[in-house]
Structure formats: structure tokens, C-alpha cells
Amino acid sequence: MSVPPLNPLKTAPDAHRGPGPQDVGLIMGGGGARAAYQVGFLRHLARHWPELEVPYITGVSAGAINAALLASHHGNFRQAVDELTHLWANLTVEDVFRTDVRSLLWNLLRWASQLLSGGVSVGAPKVRGLVDTQPLRTYLSEALHAVDGELTGIPYNLRDKSLRAVAITTTSYTTGQSVTWVQGEGFDEWSRPQRQARSAVLGVEHIMASAALPLLFPAVELEDEWYGDGGVRLTAPMSPVLHLGARRVIAISTRYRPTHQEAEEPTVSGYPPPAQVAGVMLNAIFLDLLDHDAVRLERLNRLLVKLPEEEREGLNCVDLFVQRPSQDLGKLANQYEAQLPGAFRFLTRGLGTRETKSPDFLSLVMFQPDYLRALMEIGEADADANAERLAEFLDESAGSGAASGSPVVSGNG
């Protein structure tokens, strides 16, 4: 299906020409295909701050793709976002995983055989995922200009001082811990209960591991351990960017916040199909914790401003801007479901994606150009609606809002 391209990025007449404040951190979480929404938001920033430098960049799951490109691109911010737009605008399901009948059926049969055998080897290798994601590995290697799997643009930007650190979070299936891989200068590795940071030279395999949806995508081996989606055990999504040193944080969520009335409306009738259960679980794992973390940060800010600086025990107030979609991206996926490849569409419908009004599970894997373009357009429009608050947030001359006791800034509720 041919999808018209988005309008090319053009610098706004009143754009800020400087690199922006040097304490900015960017958080891009998971959501599978919904990460295209983040690109739309970034397009707004690129139009109004074409030379913006984001010293601290963190990504989880599909957000790790966006983080990696921004951190490794050699050009200015507008050029990096332009290339990121191109990456998502040309992405298809076939670029992410194999969708041919033979591949899908073969994995299902092997999985069934493994279950029926009670785990005893029957001569075939164990199934590592429902789908084969080698196409995504190839696509990312080309799109990110990787050299032997390494993102060579990151050390270039570190030397240039436009980047201070980038972090990609994964979940170790071997130990059960959340592991954040950091490439940067002047940071200390940290360790907290069930989560830690490790210094690394980041590459395509770190992204593949962070984006490996549980059971659906195969785990990835890093340093003799097996890793999957970074959102599974990341109980504090804002922790990495704060550890790196950011004091002004932009977090782009892909989760729509419904009104109380909307939240009370049933999205499925009768017994919930597997797709509904999976959608609720994946939202809880990947998206809900960001909101909880934002509330905790706001409360901590309010406590800190009441204390003299010498009694804060090294803690600092942090400004936060959270951008959320203005509409339910899960519901939107229903409009594009018919365009999925036949074999894969047959599989998702078998899981019950047509039986729910908000197929969040489907939206995670809806790598359809028309759907991805719609998400980018929504993200850009939502940022445009918050342009004034964003400008205030990124004003270099402004003092810290959090330090003066202001609440968390939150786009779209």
C-alpha cells in the first residue's frame, strides 16, 4: 500500500537557534509500533529547536530505536529527526518479522511440539519466539549505519560534547534483573534492588534485546546472558535519565489517559479473549509505571523545596514534561487492521483482536505505514497544542520550575 509521505521538516520562522539548556534528558518508553507517536512529538521539537542538543537520552523497548538514532546521528537535531521520520515512515510488518505462512506455522508447530513433549528435546531446536525478527535486525543495521553491529555515531557525538550519555534498558531473563546499558562519560554505574547499570559500547543487539516483546520476539544474548524487553522489570522508568544527570526531563508516553467515564466503559463483552488479556498485561508492564513515577517525582519535588539545601542529602529538584496522546492509539489500530499481511492478520484475529474495542495488543505490532503515519501526525499535533508550555520548559534563561515549587508539567492530561 502506497502511503504519502509526511510534510518535510521545515524550520519554524520563530525557531530557537541555540542548542538549548544543557541539563535536558529525554525518556522514550515502549509501546511497540506506538513508538511512532514519539517521532511526531520530536518533529515539533525539531521544527522549533533545529539545533537542540539533548545531552541525556534513554530508551526502552521500541523507544530504544528512537533513542539510538538520536544519540548516533552525526547531524543536528532537525536532521536526526528527519531521518527518524524516514525510518518509521518506511517501516512495514515484514521489516520487523517474517510474516509468511511457512514461518509463522513452523514456529507454532515447533512450540506445540515442545509443549507436548514436556520440554524433552525431540531433535529440533527450542522455540525462542513466536516470530522471526531477523528482518528487524537487518533493517536497523542499515537505518542506524551500524559498523559490525556497533553504533559508531555515539562515540563521535560524545567526543563532540553534544551528547553526554545514552542508556538502553533490557531485562535479563537469566537473572531476572533490569539492566540498563550506558555509553557515556562521567557517570557512575549504579545498583538498586533488581536493577543495575552497566557500561557498554552500544550496538544493534542492545536495541534488539530491549525491544524483544516477551514470548512474541526471541530473546537476545548479551555478555553470556539472555535479555528481553526492557520494560518488563523497569519499575522506575525515570531512574536512568536522572542517574545520568538530567535535571529537565521530557518523557514521551504512548499511553492515552482516559477520562473517568471512558475508563469505566467496558472494552469487551463476555469472557476476555487472549488479545484483551495480553493488552492489559502489556500496558501494565510497559506504560503504566511512567505515570506512577511521575507522581512520585512530583511529590519528591514538593518535599525538597521545603528543605534547606544542606538537608536534601544530595537530592535535586527536577522539572518534568510528560507528553501523552490526545486519543486512544489502541482504538485507532482497529481502523488499519485490515491492511496487515494475511497470515499474520489471521493469527491476530484468532487471538481475539476483533472482539475488543481497544486492541492494545494489536497496536503494539501494527507496523503498517498508514497507521505509523497517523501516529506521527497525532504526536506532532499534540506537541503543537502544547507549544507554549514546551517553549517555557526549554527556555534557557528560565530558572528551575521544580526548584521553585511548581508542579509537574503534563501535556494532554
Side-chain angles (χ1 to χ4, degrees):
M1 179 180 179
S2 177
V3 180
L6 290 172
N7 293 327
L9 278 173
K10 293 183 178 179
T11 302
D14 58 347
H16 301 251
R17 301 293 174 173
Q22 294 303 295
D23 58 354
V24 175
L26 183 61
I27 299 174
M28 289 175 286
R34 284 185 281 186
Y37 173 85
Q38 299 169 353
V39 181
F41 177 85
L42 294 173
R43 283 174 60 86
H44 168 91
L45 288 184
R47 285 190 287 112
H48 293 275
W49 287 272
E51 301 296 332
L52 179 67
E53 292 180 359
V54 184
Y56 309 103
I57 302 175
T58 64
V60 182
S61 192
I65 298 173
N66 298 335
L69 192 144
L70 290 180
S72 63
H73 197 277
H74 286 196
N76 63 17
F77 187 72
R78 188 191 64 77
Q79 291 167 336
V81 174
D82 202 25
E83 188 159 333
L84 193 57
T85 300
H86 181 78
L87 185 157
W88 283 92
N90 290 279
L91 192 64
T92 66
V93 177
E94 291 87 351
D95 291 322
V96 179
F97 50 82
R98 293 182 59 185
T99 60
D100 56 283
V101 175
R102 181 178 179 181
S103 177
L104 293 174
L105 184 59
W106 178 239
N107 278 344
L108 284 172
L109 290 176
R110 287 170 57 193
W111 211 332
S113 175
Q114 187 172 313
L115 290 171
L116 292 174
S117 70
V120 178
S121 175
V122 292
K126 290 185 176 181
V127 181
R128 294 182 173 178
L130 184 59
V131 296
D132 179 356
T133 55
Q134 183 58 37
L136 179 60
R137 180 176 281 104
T138 302
Y139 188 84
L140 291 179
S141 296
E142 296 175 356
L144 299 175
H145 311 291
V147 178
D148 295 327
E150 180 185 339
L151 305 180
T152 57
I154 292 178
Y156 174 89
N157 289 329
L158 289 172
R159 289 191 299 269
D160 189 50
K161 304 299 182 182
S162 59
L163 177 71
R164 296 181 187 174
V166 55
I168 292 176
T169 300
T170 60
T171 299
S172 172
Y173 291 143
T174 304
T175 66
Q177 294 190 88
S178 174
V179 178
T180 298
W181 307 87
V182 182
Q183 187 167 354
E185 299 176 357
F187 84 96
D188 296 322
E189 294 185 353
W190 65 86
S191 180
R192 299 291 186 272
Q194 294 301 313
R195 53 189 173 93
Q196 60 174 280
R198 297 183 190 174
S199 180
V201 176
L202 295 177
V204 172
E205 293 305 289
H206 293 90
I207 306 170
M208 292 294 297
S210 185
L213 291 168
L215 301 180
L216 188 64
F217 292 1
V220 175
E221 188 175 17
L222 299 170
E223 297 185 2
D224 299 322
E225 293 184 19
W226 290 94
Y227 291 87
D229 200 293
V232 174
R233 291 303 298 269
L234 186 58
T235 55
M238 295 186 190
S239 172
V241 79
L242 297 180
H243 275 292
L244 295 180
R247 293 296 172 260
R248 244 182 281 212
V249 176
I250 298 174
I252 314 173
S253 174
T254 59
R255 178 74 184 275
Y256 169 69
R257 176 182 284 181
T259 64
H260 179 72
Q261 182 178 355
E262 289 173 326
E264 292 295 321
E265 294 178 359
T267 58
V268 64
S269 299
Y271 193 84
Q276 176 72 5
V277 176
V280 172
M281 291 177 62
L282 292 173
N283 277 337
I285 292 172
F286 301 129
L287 305 178
D288 292 353
L289 291 176
L290 179 61
D291 288 335
H292 300 324
D293 224 12
V295 171
R296 286 194 294 266
L297 182 59
E298 179 182 358
R299 288 175 177 171
L300 183 58
N301 278 340
R302 289 175 175 173
L303 287 173
L304 287 175
V305 296
K306 296 178 180 179
L307 294 174
E309 189 170 348
E310 63 272 13
E311 296 182 16
R312 295 182 181 180
E313 299 185 2
L315 296 176
N316 297 294
C317 292
V318 176
D319 285 335
L320 175 66
F321 187 101
V322 181
Q323 178 70 47
R324 300 180 182 86
S326 58
Q327 58 182 284
D328 190 328
L329 305 185
K331 287 184 178 180
L332 184 66
N334 263 333
Q335 301 178 24
Y336 301 91
E337 185 264 356
Q339 303 300 325
L340 284 170
F344 186 66
R345 184 175 67 247
F346 180 81
L347 177 61
T348 58
R349 288 184 177 182
L351 295 173
T353 55
R354 303 282 285 182
E355 300 174 37
T356 174
K357 297 177 182 177
S358 184
D360 288 322
F361 170 75
L362 181 64
S363 69
L364 294 174
V365 295
M366 183 64 75
F367 295 99
Q368 284 294 112
D370 45 5
Y371 179 63
L372 299 176
R373 173 184 171 173
L375 297 190
M376 286 189 278
E377 290 176 340
I378 293 169
E380 192 167 1
D382 287 351
D384 289 344
N386 286 301
E388 185 175 342
R389 285 191 285 177
L390 269 171
E392 293 175 358
F393 187 80
L394 291 174
D395 184 355
E396 296 178 67
S397 63
S400 171
S404 59
S406 72
V408 169
V409 181
S410 177
N412 293 317

